[in-house]
Amino acid sequence: MTFRESVPFFVAIAATIPGILLRVVHPDISPLLMASLTGLAILGASFMLMWACEVAQMDIPQTLALAVVALIAVLPEYAVDMYFTWMAGQHPESNYAHYAIANMTGANRLLIGIGWSAIAILYALRFRKAVQLEEERRSELLFLALATAYALVIPLKGTLEWYDGVILVSLYVWYIRIASKRPCTDCEVEGPAEALAHLPRNTRRLTTLGLFLFAAGVILCDAELFSESLVASGKVLGINEFLLVQWLAPIASEAPEFIVAIMFATRGQASLALGSLISSKLNQWTLLVGMIPGVFAVSSGSINPPMPMDDHQMHELLLTAAQSLFAVVLLARMRLGLRGALVLLALFIGQFAAPLYEPYVENLLGIPHMPDGLHIVYSGLYIALALGMMLYRPGRLLQLREGLKV
C-alpha cells in the first residue's frame, strides 16, 4: 500500500478511536461533543465498510455484490434506526417510535432526492449525456416498484404491522435469489480498496473480513451514544429533535456512500454509481422498514399492539412512498437525464424546506393551519406526476417485469 493509498485508510481508523474510547470510559461531556465524536467514528467506519465492499465485488457476482455492498454500507443507518425501534418497544410512551420513523424516512428520501439526482446532474454536466443503466438493473427497479406499491398501503391502513415486515423482507430475499444467480464481472477499485485488491486472494479475503468486523463493531458500539446525544443536542440547542434525527443522522451515515458514488459518476461510471444507490434504496425500503415492526415486537414482547405512530408519521411514510413511486417511474426507461434529475432535486428541496415556508403559504392563501399540509401536497404531486407519466407511456412499468429473468 503506497503512502497516498494509506493516508485515507489511517485517517478513517483514527476517526474511530474517540468513539471507541467514549464507549469505554463514559466521560461527562456535552451532548454536542458526544454527537460529533461518535458521528465521526461512524463516518470513519462507514468508509472502511465501503472499501471492503468494493473489494468484495472481486469474489462474488457484481449485482449480488451491489446488494451486499448496499446492505453493509447502510449498517450505520440500520444501527441507529434499530436502536430507536428497540427503545420504542422498551418505552412505548416515549418519542422513540417517532425517531425511528424519522430516521428511516429521512434516509430514504435523501437517497433519491440528493443521491440519485446528484449523480445524474454531475454526469450530465461533465459528459453531456444521461445516465444509462444496464439491463440487469431492471431487477432492482422491479422490486423497488413492488415494495413501493406495498408501502403506499401502509399509510392508508394506518399501522405498520408484523406482517408488513414479513412481506417487505420477503421481497428483498426474492431479489437476492435472482441477483445471486448472475455471473461475476470485472470491477474497478481505487485508493485503499485498490491496495487491498492487489493482495493475495486468501490474504485479501481475511483482510476484507477483518475490516467488515472492525467497522461493524465500531458502528454498533457508537450507535446508542450517537442516537441519544443527537436527541439531547436538539433539546440543548432548541432545535426540533425529530428533524435532527430525520436529516442529520442519515447525512452522517450516508455520506461515505454518496461520496464514493459521486466519485464514480465524475469518472464516467455513473451507471455503477446509480446502481449502487438504487440497491441501497431497495434494501432500505424493504429490509430497514421491514425490520422495524419485528424489532419492536421482540423489544415489547408482543406483536400486539403494533408500534405506535400518529398522523405525522403516517404522512412521512406517505411522502416517502410517493417520492419512491415517482422515482421508479422516472427510471423505468433505464435512464436518468438532467431534466429528470433536476425535477427530483427541486421536489426534494421543496418538501425539505416546507416547514420553513408553510406558515407563509397559509397566510398568503388565507387558509387555517393544517398539520403536515405541504407534506400531503407534495405526496399528491409526486403521485400525480407518476400517474401522468404512466398514462403517457402505459408500458413504462410493464417493461420492468424483465427484471425477473436471471
Side-chain angles (χ1 to χ4, degrees):
M1 183 181 292
T2 66
F3 176 76
R4 181 180 178 182
E5 294 169 339
S6 64
V7 168
F9 183 79
F10 288 111
V11 168
I13 292 179
T16 66
I17 294 175
I20 297 173
L21 293 177
L22 287 173
R23 188 68 183 182
V24 175
V25 300
H26 302 287
D28 185 16
I29 60 177
S30 72
L32 291 173
L33 182 57
M34 178 74 77
S36 300
L37 293 177
T38 53
L40 185 64
I42 290 174
L43 185 65
S46 299
F47 272 109
M48 285 190 280
L49 282 179
M50 287 301 301
W51 295 325
C53 286
E54 287 181 51
V55 178
Q57 295 181 45
M58 300 178 64
D59 300 306
I60 55 179
Q62 189 182 54
T63 305
L64 177 60
L66 285 175
V68 175
V69 166
L71 176 61
I72 296 176
V74 296
L75 179 60
E77 193 64 44
Y78 278 84
V80 172
D81 218 317
M82 291 308 107
Y83 171 75
F84 283 135
T85 304
W86 181 267
M87 294 303 292
Q90 297 289 304
H91 308 281
E93 75 289 347
S94 68
N95 287 327
Y96 282 113
H98 298 177
Y99 299 151
I101 298 301
N103 189 59
M104 178 271 291
T105 55
N108 272 278
R109 298 213 293 270
L110 275 170
L111 268 173
I112 290 177
I114 298 297
W116 292 18
S117 58
I119 288 172
I121 290 170
L122 289 173
Y123 188 70
L125 293 177
R126 184 173 177 82
F127 297 99
R128 306 296 180 185
K129 55 184 178 180
V131 180
Q132 187 68 45
L133 293 170
E134 297 93 344
E135 284 300 310
E136 61 186 20
R137 296 282 87 80
R138 287 190 192 277
S139 296
E140 283 93 332
L141 289 174
L142 170 64
F143 284 95
L144 181 55
L146 294 174
T148 297
Y150 187 81
L152 284 168
V153 176
I154 296 173
L156 296 179
K157 63 188 184 69
T159 57
L160 180 60
E161 303 272 3
W162 64 269
Y163 56 82
D164 298 320
V166 171
I167 292 172
L168 290 170
V169 171
S170 298
L171 284 174
Y172 192 77
V173 172
W174 187 7
Y175 158 69
I176 286 295
R177 286 191 62 188
I178 293 175
S180 64
K181 296 177 181 178
R182 292 185 173 145
C184 187
T185 57
D186 293 333
C187 61
E188 295 184 16
V189 292
E190 296 186 10
E194 183 179 10
L196 291 175
H198 290 155
L199 294 173
R201 185 176 64 176
N202 290 337
T203 304
R204 180 183 71 230
R205 290 178 175 177
L206 288 174
T207 305
T208 302
L209 178 61
L211 276 179
F212 279 142
L213 294 177
F214 176 76
V218 171
I219 290 167
L220 296 176
C221 176
D222 286 317
E224 177 184 352
L225 295 176
F226 177 65
S227 303
E228 293 289 358
S229 58
L230 195 62
V231 172
S233 297
K235 295 176 180 178
V236 169
L237 297 173
I239 301 174
N240 187 320
E241 58 266 26
F242 184 94
L243 294 178
L244 273 182
V245 170
Q246 185 172 39
W247 301 118
L248 187 58
I251 287 174
S253 58
E254 303 282 2
E257 189 176 16
F258 281 4
I259 292 171
V260 171
I262 288 172
M263 287 173 58
F264 276 125
T266 56
R267 293 169 183 168
Q269 297 176 290
S271 179
L272 179 61
L274 186 57
S276 68
L277 293 191
I278 291 172
S279 290
S280 292
K281 169 65 180 178
L282 173 60
N283 84 65
Q284 287 197 18
W285 207 215
T286 51
L287 283 185
L288 182 59
V289 181
M291 287 172 63
I292 287 176
V295 171
F296 179 82
V298 173
S299 178
S300 63
S302 173
I303 60 174
N304 288 308
M307 191 168 76
M309 292 192 292
D310 58 21
D311 288 343
H312 179 64
Q313 275 70 59
M314 287 302 166
H315 292 154
E316 290 286 343
L317 278 171
L318 176 62
L319 179 58
T320 308
Q323 183 206 43
S324 181
L325 175 65
F326 172 64
V328 168
V329 175
L330 193 63
L331 261 68
R333 291 188 300 158
M334 305 303 292
R335 67 189 299 273
L336 181 59
L338 180 60
R339 184 170 56 183
L342 288 174
V343 172
L344 276 179
L345 180 61
L347 288 173
F348 173 80
I349 293 174
Q351 59 86 18
F352 174 79
L356 299 177
Y357 64 83
E358 189 169 24
Y360 299 101
V361 173
E362 292 171 344
N363 290 334
L364 181 64
L365 298 178
I367 58 177
H369 174 67
M370 183 174 68
D372 301 325
L374 285 182
H375 271 53
I376 298 172
V377 170
Y378 276 103
S379 297
L381 183 57
Y382 276 125
I383 293 173
L385 288 172
L387 292 177
M389 287 190 293
M390 285 189 285
L391 290 174
Y392 179 66
R393 291 182 177 171
R396 183 185 289 262
L397 283 180
L398 291 177
Q399 294 177 354
L400 293 181
R401 67 182 183 274
E402 298 296 322
L404 291 175
K405 297 179 180 178
V406 177

